[in-house]
């Protein structure tokens, strides 16, 4: 085997190793994106059947969800890995969507509470 062939093979091996390493890091960063879940929209059935006490409990649960998302979205090791993969955009989008779903439900619950319980 000539020296040039050996250098070419070493270069190819290095490129393959680098590609595997990059794929591994990107795979880890995808797993590092945080997932908070979503709050479901208030259904017509809920609006009709929930009592005032149940509405208050649902309001408290939804507020607790918002607090949990805000707490869990603080900087962590997973944030570093996610930032390496997508510059942290995935975590920001996930947090925003989770908070938005909860705020929508909270607004509807509060409106329902005013309509049913304060009238």
């Amino acid at each position: 085997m000539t020296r040039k062939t050996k250098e070419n093979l070493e270069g190819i091996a290095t490129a393959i190793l680098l590609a595997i390493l990059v794929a591994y890091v990107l795979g880890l960063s995808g797993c590092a994106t945080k997932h908070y879940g979503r709050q479901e929209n208030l259904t017509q059935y809920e609006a009709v059947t929930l009592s005032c006490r149940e509405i208050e409990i649902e309001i408290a649960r939804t507020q607790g969800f918002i607090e949990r998302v805000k707490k869990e979205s603080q900087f962590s090791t997973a944030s570093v890995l996610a930032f390496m993969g997508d510059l942290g955009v995935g975590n920001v989008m996930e947090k925003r969507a989770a908070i938005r779903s909860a705020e929508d439900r909270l607004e509807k619950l509060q409106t329902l509470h005013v309509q049913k319980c304060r009238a």
Side-chain angles (χ1 to χ4, degrees):
M1 187 180 307
T2 66
R3 183 174 183 199
K4 186 166 181 136
T5 304
K6 187 175 180 181
E7 287 174 1
N8 285 342
L9 288 175
E10 287 174 354
I12 292 171
T14 302
I16 290 172
L17 208 64
L18 184 60
I20 291 171
L21 181 64
V22 168
Y24 179 73
V25 169
L26 288 177
L28 281 179
S29 70
C31 295
T33 300
K34 297 175 182 180
H35 298 282
Y36 304 108
R38 301 288 183 275
Q39 292 287 297
E40 297 295 322
N41 286 329
L42 187 68
T43 65
Q44 184 61 32
Y45 180 77
E46 288 175 309
V48 171
T49 60
L50 288 176
S51 68
C52 291
R53 173 105 171 102
E54 291 168 328
I55 294 169
E56 291 167 359
I57 290 170
E58 285 299 313
I59 287 172
R61 282 185 185 154
T62 305
Q63 289 171 332
F65 176 84
I66 293 170
E67 290 173 18
R68 181 180 61 84
V69 169
K70 288 180 179 178
K71 181 180 176 189
E72 288 181 12
S73 67
Q74 294 174 350
F75 190 77
S76 69
T77 306
S79 302
V80 173
L81 291 173
F83 185 81
M84 288 170 49
D86 64 359
L87 302 178
V89 173
N91 283 343
V92 171
M93 290 172 56
E94 176 65 16
K95 177 185 177 185
R96 193 174 297 151
I99 295 289
R100 188 177 310 124
S101 73
E103 288 174 342
D104 289 346
R105 182 171 175 84
L106 184 60
E107 180 182 335
K108 290 174 181 152
L109 284 166
Q110 289 171 334
T111 300
L112 181 63
H113 189 266
V114 169
Q115 291 170 350
K116 278 183 117 172
C117 305
R118 308 226 188 234

